[in-house]
Amino acid sequence: MNLLWGLIMIIFGMFLQPPGVEAADLVKLPPPALKGSVSVEEALQARRTVRRFASRSLDLQQISQLLWATQGITDPRGLRTAPSAGATYPLEIYLVVGDHGVTGLAPGIYRYLPKGHALELTLKGDYRAPVARACLGQSWMATAPVMVVFAAEFKRCTARYGNRGVMYTHMEVGHAGENLFLQTQALRLAAGIVGAFTDQALSHTLNLPREHEPLLIMPVGYK
Ligand SMILES: Cc1cc2nc3c(=O)[nH]c(=O)nc-3n(C[C@H](O)[C@H](O)[C@H](O)COP(=O)(O)O)c2cc1C
């Protein structure tokens, strides 16, 4: 009887998760540094959209720093590095990791969990080329070792602010994106920024939950 139940649970589990994903695929990130060697002014002066990257891996410390700057928690009340209308935090951050993109991290799509500062694997494999195809064929994107995808669950903000919450969410992604740009500069890395994509194709490629709508992608790596 126990064996039968075990089999039923395994078969049921296969339908609950996308292929190749195990429940325990959680990666705890190292703590971010709170001091750097590049000033805000230097980062602002140097920031440019980069569209060509070296084939050089990033490491987990850099990934930790980049994601913390984008949406990390900086206050015991749960407040984050970027402001949010009414602290509703509608943004969801995904990381697309290519083959050898990050030392110690398997290629795949990961969801950033601000609480716990961790990554949750949602899909295994190198999805950079299909993501670039969904971005109207901007193949330069796939030269970056990683891409940071900004998605939003609008209803977290619109539940409080109505239609104005849509505008607030669009403003928020701009704040988070600039945080990532500046942190990239401070680590002497480079980033691109992409808003031109087919929503449906991108959501499908990334296997995003229906309520997480993609807004922006930033490929990151060495120049
Ligand atoms: C919302 C938004 C969407 C963008 N989408 C794209 C894009 O799809 N492809 C691209 O190559 N650049 C894209 N860019 C980058 C702009 O072309 C770039 O910021 C502009 O040329 C100024 O250059 P700079 O960022 O180096 O200062 C986008 C920028 C923003 C803010």
Side-chain angles (χ1 to χ4, degrees):
M1 191 62 184
N2 278 349
L3 186 67
L4 184 65
W5 267 116
L7 275 174
I8 289 170
M9 292 314 284
I10 288 168
I11 292 165
F12 191 58
M14 282 163 57
F15 289 102
L16 281 181
Q17 290 181 333
V21 174
E22 286 129 40
D25 287 322
L26 207 69
V27 181
K28 183 93 182 101
L29 293 168
L34 297 181
K35 286 223 185 299
S37 58
V38 176
S39 70
V40 175
E41 293 81 359
E42 286 166 329
L44 285 166
Q45 172 64 31
R47 188 212 62 80
R48 281 280 78 83
T49 296
V50 168
R51 298 185 181 85
R52 194 168 168 180
F53 297 88
S55 57
R56 184 173 163 190
S57 309
L58 300 181
D59 61 33
L60 270 182
Q61 188 63 52
Q62 290 168 314
I63 295 299
S64 161
Q65 199 69 38
L66 294 168
L67 294 174
W68 171 81
T70 307
Q71 276 296 278
I73 294 179
T74 51
D75 185 285
R77 290 168 293 173
L79 305 177
R80 303 185 185 180
T81 48
S84 175
T88 50
Y89 298 113
L91 299 184
E92 287 286 338
I93 307 299
Y94 289 85
L95 185 72
V96 179
V97 177
D99 275 330
H100 309 291
V102 181
T103 308
L105 207 55
I109 296 167
Y110 296 81
R111 181 179 172 195
Y112 176 56
L113 307 175
K115 210 174 152 188
H117 193 49
L119 287 172
E120 177 190 35
L121 180 66
T122 61
L123 210 55
K124 278 183 182 165
D126 185 346
Y127 284 86
R128 290 174 301 169
V131 167
R133 279 199 292 277
C135 297
L136 317 185
Q138 298 189 66
S139 54
W140 61 268
M141 297 172 66
T143 65
V146 302
M147 301 171 185
V148 178
V149 178
F150 298 72
E153 189 171 320
F154 283 96
K155 69 172 183 291
R156 291 181 203 156
C157 199
T158 55
R160 186 174 310 177
Y161 298 110
N163 277 345
R164 216 171 163 74
V166 174
M167 185 178 73
Y168 287 162
T169 302
H170 289 152
M171 290 174 176
E172 188 169 328
V173 79
H175 288 98
E178 183 70 355
N179 277 9
L180 177 57
F181 249 137
L182 294 179
Q183 181 66 79
T184 302
Q185 288 303 138
L187 294 177
R188 301 178 203 282
L189 297 171
I193 180 165
V194 171
F197 51 79
T198 310
D199 297 3
Q200 242 188 340
L202 186 61
S203 296
H204 179 75
T205 302
L206 298 171
N207 196 34
L208 294 183
R210 191 187 299 272
E211 62 277 16
H212 294 181
E213 299 180 44
L215 296 177
L216 197 63
I217 307 175
M218 292 181 63
V220 178
Y222 286 91
K223 217 169 163 177

